[in-house]
Amino acid sequence: MPHNLQSNMARFGATVVLSFLTVFGALAQSDMTSEADRAFERRGYFEASREYVALYAKIKADVDLKGYCAFQAGESFRLLHDPAAATEWYDKAIGLKYGQRDNTVFLVYGDALRDQEAFDEAIEYYAEYQKAGGNAQLAEDRIENADLAAIMVEEPESRYLVEPLVILNTASYEFAPTFAGKDQDEVVFASSREASTGTKEDPITGQAYMDLFRSEMDKKGRWSEPEPLSNTICTEHNEGGSCFDAKGKTIYFTRCVDMDGSNLACDIYFAKKQGNGYGASMPLGLVNREENDSSQVGHPALSPDDNILVFASDLPGGLGGKDLWYVEANEGSFAGAVPQNMGPSINTAGDELFPHYRDNGDLYWSTTGREGLGSMDIWKAEAREGKLAFAEPSALPYPLNTSADDFAIAFKDGMQEGIFTSNRTGGKGQDDLYSFKLPPLEFCYQAYVYDYDTGMPLSGATLTLESKDGSSAEFTTDEEGELALCEGEISEGATFGVDVAFEGYIGTGDLLTTEGLTESTTLAREYLLKEIVLNKEYDMPVVLYPLGSADLLMDENVNSADSLNYLVDLLERNENLIIQLEAHTDSRGSASANKSLSQRRAETCVDYLKENGVVAERMVAVGYGEDALLVSDAEIARLPKEDQERGHQRNRRTVFKIVAFDYKPAE
């Protein structure tokens, strides 16, 4: 049972505990089943399955006992992570009316169907469980999660690509990968394949005891045939669940020692690297076996600085079945360290297993105690400032998590890829290794440059892209006025400015970013360039002033400085332009007063531009007062009274003209 701490640390979630207590608490069975029951009770599920199946065939008249054997066979197969076989035997039990005796059969039947992605059928049995008097909230949660899982399969929200590692997987168990090697081109994992050192049959799995195997990736990305680690690591006992220190000099791993077939003592061992092999392996001593001969310890994970070792255990004082615990190093050694529980922010009433630290300090683990897509899902808690400080845990998305059991994830340092374990449908064996990768987002920048007045494309327009670090690249539009950068030129998390220029036109620009984008995106922009016409009046954003004042109006509703920033940007992008900045008033008030006021207003605008880096030689301030009305007094008089003020407002304007485009900035 590789999901456990190698066989002994069987994982029992809430429903399994319920089933276990029902069978062995309330229902005393016939002496005929005692041997099978004892095997099941000591978690020898493979052995128990054979016994129950054989008994089922022998029993003829006792329908209740026959139904019990069918149910227990189903439970054995489910706990062996063989949902197809489990559903076969649950179906037999239900056909024998076992659900009238124990409604749990409907619940676990639904779980086994869910694990095979038969979501509609699973929901039917969850409803049947509730109808038969089962826990209503538990049934509703299962139905909701089955609905969610079905949606995830049809419409996955994440971009992760998941592939089975066919070369590494066999019909046996492969699980708990960890990366090794200077370039992370080695993987070490546990397996019960035929090459294992241990020759005894594990009563839980029916396969050989597990060993740690190593495979190396070549330059073409192909994994080599796995080979067992040295004989100081691989023994006749169960080995698995390993990690390495930051320098790859020490391996920490789980070993469960066979004690006359009971396979009780699971502990964390360590060994130093010696050449191509390892020195003698020694127990870390996190449990005093003289005082505590039953607690299981395994699945080690080291923090990036090697100072904290997190592991799974059922030590006294936990929150549920298996919790995550930790010890701190003292001067580089964990000797004598006292295990501490990681607390309720991580642990639940279910099982927490297979912890893994990423190089950024984020913690990953697998749990049966949180609602997810399946009975065991992978969760993570992002690192925060401080020792063992983490954010609120969250489940990994589909297809990393599925309705099956997903666990024991390992990331490559600094990368969004790695390997994890799953017993999802379509695998080669019981538990298989799967690679995962988050492909980079693909961004495309498509620019279209047109003449503002005619709409005609401007072929040969220059677009200069400048990144935050000051590097820049220059491109030109094609005959259709288009520029397309879609071959990886635009990266994730990039922010860049765009300058668009075309001879004889007023240049413009843009600021674009891919920061925060979670989907591949095309950044499409149209740039409409105005042709330079000397002494033509160009509109600009409205600049307002208080009544009778030359100060810029800035209050909670208006900020005229923002309008003038349009000119600052335009003159920065078009360093050859010289402009005349003109202010106009309406016809109300005396002509001389309006002339003076408009001149002061134009000068106010010029002063603002100078304060923001535009040299004085590029600007002329002219106040026209009421000399150049856009709407005459006669036209205003003919307007409805409610529209007359808008006519005056059109006359009160600030505009600019280009008077030359031959200015040469000082070197």
Side-chain angles (χ1 to χ4, degrees):
M1 182 92 173
H3 299 59
N4 316 322
L5 295 182
Q6 277 64 261
S7 303
N8 289 317
M9 295 190 66
R11 83 178 152 79
F12 285 91
T15 60
V16 183
V17 170
L18 177 63
S19 173
F20 184 85
L21 293 178
T22 302
V23 172
F24 289 100
L27 301 176
Q29 298 305 321
S30 161
D31 289 342
M32 191 175 185
T33 66
S34 59
E35 186 174 343
D37 292 342
R38 282 195 297 271
F40 187 91
E41 190 171 5
R42 67 174 181 266
R43 301 168 188 172
Y45 303 120
F46 180 77
E47 180 183 338
S49 68
R50 287 189 300 192
E51 294 288 340
Y52 288 125
V53 168
L55 287 170
Y56 177 87
K58 291 179 182 178
I59 299 168
K60 303 300 181 183
D62 193 336
V63 174
D64 286 346
L65 190 59
K66 195 176 184 73
Y68 169 78
C69 289
F71 174 69
Q72 284 300 106
E75 285 290 81
S76 300
F77 285 118
R78 181 171 66 86
L79 294 168
L80 281 168
H81 308 287
D82 187 347
T87 52
E88 176 186 348
W89 287 95
Y90 290 144
D91 191 63
K92 295 180 188 298
I94 292 171
L96 292 167
K97 310 298 184 184
Y98 189 77
Q100 296 176 7
R101 185 180 185 185
D102 182 0
N103 59 28
T104 306
V105 67
F106 301 116
L107 180 68
V108 292
Y109 193 11
D111 286 347
L113 290 166
R114 175 205 60 195
D115 291 351
Q116 299 171 81
E117 298 186 356
F119 300 114
D120 291 341
E121 295 175 63
I123 289 171
E124 291 178 9
Y125 279 95
Y126 292 144
E128 188 66 28
Y129 164 70
Q130 185 175 9
K131 182 180 176 181
N135 185 308
Q137 186 60 55
L138 183 60
E140 289 171 8
D141 289 343
R142 286 290 206 279
I143 290 170
E144 181 180 349
N145 288 331
D147 276 331
L148 177 61
I151 293 171
M152 290 294 100
V153 171
E154 292 296 324
E155 302 174 6
E157 293 182 351
S158 80
R159 298 181 296 109
Y160 280 103
L161 301 178
V162 172
E163 298 287 344
L165 288 172
V166 178
I167 295 177
L168 301 184
N169 293 325
T170 68
S172 301
Y173 289 95
E174 278 79 37
F175 68 103
T178 187
F179 287 103
K182 185 177 180 181
D183 298 319
Q184 298 183 93
D185 55 357
E186 301 174 27
V187 64
V188 172
F189 60 94
S191 178
S192 60
R193 61 186 61 202
E194 293 182 358
S196 296
T197 304
T199 57
K200 291 184 179 180
E201 181 183 273
D202 190 322
I204 294 179
T205 66
Q207 297 187 14
Y209 283 160
M210 290 128 196
D211 277 342
L212 289 176
F213 287 79
R214 171 188 172 276
S215 178
E216 187 173 359
M217 180 181 285
D218 63 20
K219 293 181 179 179
K220 294 183 178 180
R222 296 174 300 196
W223 292 105
S224 65
E225 182 67 25
E227 296 180 353
L229 296 186
S230 69
N231 57 13
T232 62
I233 305 294
C234 299
T235 67
E236 70 273 15
H237 307 293
N238 258 322
E239 282 87 27
S242 64
C243 70
F244 292 86
D245 65 3
K247 293 183 178 180
K249 300 296 185 183
T250 303
I251 184 174
Y252 296 83
F253 63 97
T254 309
R255 177 179 289 157
C256 298
V257 176
D258 185 349
M259 300 175 66
D260 297 325
S262 62
N263 199 30
L264 284 176
C266 292
D267 289 292
I268 294 175
Y269 285 67
F270 70 98
K272 299 288 185 180
K273 194 81 181 288
Q274 289 185 358
N276 293 326
Y278 295 88
S281 57
M282 300 288 292
L284 205 54
L286 299 179
V287 175
N288 186 334
R289 286 298 172 196
E290 293 182 1
E291 298 177 1
N292 182 347
D293 63 358
S294 62
S295 289
Q296 307 300 311
V297 178
H299 303 173
L302 275 170
S303 61
D305 62 6
D306 291 342
N307 284 325
I308 293 175
L309 182 76
V310 176
F311 57 93
S313 180
D314 57 356
L315 285 165
L319 277 71
K322 314 298 181 298
D323 281 356
L324 295 190
W325 297 71
Y326 73 94
V327 288
E328 293 186 69
N330 182 15
E331 295 183 356
S333 172
F334 294 108
V338 178
Q340 304 292 321
N341 192 280
M342 294 198 71
S345 63
I346 300 294
N347 293 316
T348 68
D351 287 334
E352 277 66 47
L353 302 167
F354 296 103
H356 167 69
Y357 263 110
R358 281 189 74 176
D359 60 329
N360 63 3
D362 293 350
L363 182 66
Y364 292 72
W365 71 97
S366 300
T367 180
T368 64
R370 299 176 186 267
E371 290 298 334
L373 298 180
S375 58
M376 175 172 275
D377 286 328
I378 304 171
W379 284 64
K380 77 168 183 176
E382 293 183 355
R384 292 292 181 261
E385 191 70 29
K387 184 182 73 176
L388 290 170
F390 299 101
E392 186 72 18
S394 60
L396 298 192
Y398 180 90
L400 295 179
N401 280 324
T402 65
S403 59
D405 292 327
D406 305 290
F407 58 101
I409 196 167
F411 282 83
K412 287 187 174 181
D413 289 349
M415 303 178 74
Q416 287 283 8
E417 63 180 83
I419 302 174
F420 70 103
T421 315
S422 180
N423 70 339
R424 61 189 62 190
T425 57
K428 215 174 186 181
Q430 300 292 329
D431 293 327
D432 283 335
L433 300 179
Y434 289 80
S435 67
F436 69 91
K437 183 176 183 179
L438 187 64
L441 292 169
E442 295 180 359
F443 296 105
C444 185
Y445 172 53
Q446 287 186 313
Y448 303 88
V449 185
Y450 302 112
D451 183 291
Y452 180 89
D453 295 307
T454 67
M456 295 298 293
L458 296 178
S459 174
T462 301
L463 286 88
T464 303
L465 277 59
E466 183 173 352
S467 63
K468 288 191 294 186
D469 63 8
S471 60
S472 63
E474 191 174 283
F475 306 90
T476 57
T477 57
D478 62 18
E479 59 185 13
E480 299 297 327
E482 180 182 356
L483 169 67
L485 302 178
C486 301
E487 301 298 326
E489 295 98 334
I490 308 301
S491 60
E492 293 183 46
T495 298
F496 56 96
V498 180
D499 279 318
V500 185
F502 191 72
E503 187 174 356
Y505 284 76
I506 300 173
T508 186
D510 210 348
L511 182 66
L512 302 174
T513 185
T514 59
E515 290 186 18
L517 296 180
T518 57
E519 296 181 357
S520 296
T521 306
T522 295
L523 306 174
R525 297 292 187 271
E526 284 189 350
Y527 302 105
L528 303 176
L529 303 189
K530 295 180 180 180
E531 189 174 5
I532 296 175
V533 180
L534 295 181
N535 297 309
K536 172 187 174 182
E537 189 175 289
Y538 288 95
D539 293 331
M540 57 180 284
V542 175
V543 179
L544 299 177
Y545 313 87
L547 182 64
S549 171
D551 295 333
L552 296 175
L553 180 60
M554 289 183 283
D555 57 25
E556 65 274 8
N557 299 315
V558 177
N559 187 342
S560 292
D562 287 344
S563 299
L564 287 173
N565 287 335
Y566 163 81
L567 272 183
V568 174
D569 181 67
L570 183 145
L571 293 171
E572 285 179 348
R573 294 183 187 279
N574 298 270
E575 295 182 339
N576 61 329
L577 299 185
I578 298 175
I579 67 167
Q580 180 169 291
L581 207 148
E582 302 176 353
H584 300 263
T585 67
D586 59 32
S587 61
R588 294 175 293 187
S590 70
S592 62
N594 285 337
K595 189 86 164 181
S596 175
L597 178 61
S598 65
Q599 182 64 35
R600 286 186 284 120
R601 286 177 171 175
E603 290 172 354
T604 295
C605 293
V606 167
D607 288 341
Y608 180 87
L609 298 180
K610 287 194 292 186
E611 291 170 2
N612 284 273
V614 181
V615 296
E617 291 86 348
R618 300 181 63 194
M619 297 175 290
V620 179
V622 177
Y624 280 97
E626 57 188 75
D627 292 346
L629 299 177
L630 291 178
V631 186
S632 68
D633 288 345
E635 289 173 315
I636 291 175
R638 289 194 295 271
L639 293 172
K641 196 163 187 178
E642 62 271 17
D643 294 333
Q644 290 179 0
E645 183 56 39
R646 282 200 292 272
H648 288 301
Q649 179 60 57
R650 285 192 63 197
N651 289 327
R652 297 194 303 272
R653 65 197 187 280
T654 300
V655 297
F656 73 95
K657 293 177 181 176
I658 299 174
V659 296
F661 52 91
D662 58 357
Y663 180 78
K664 294 183 179 180
E667 294 294 336

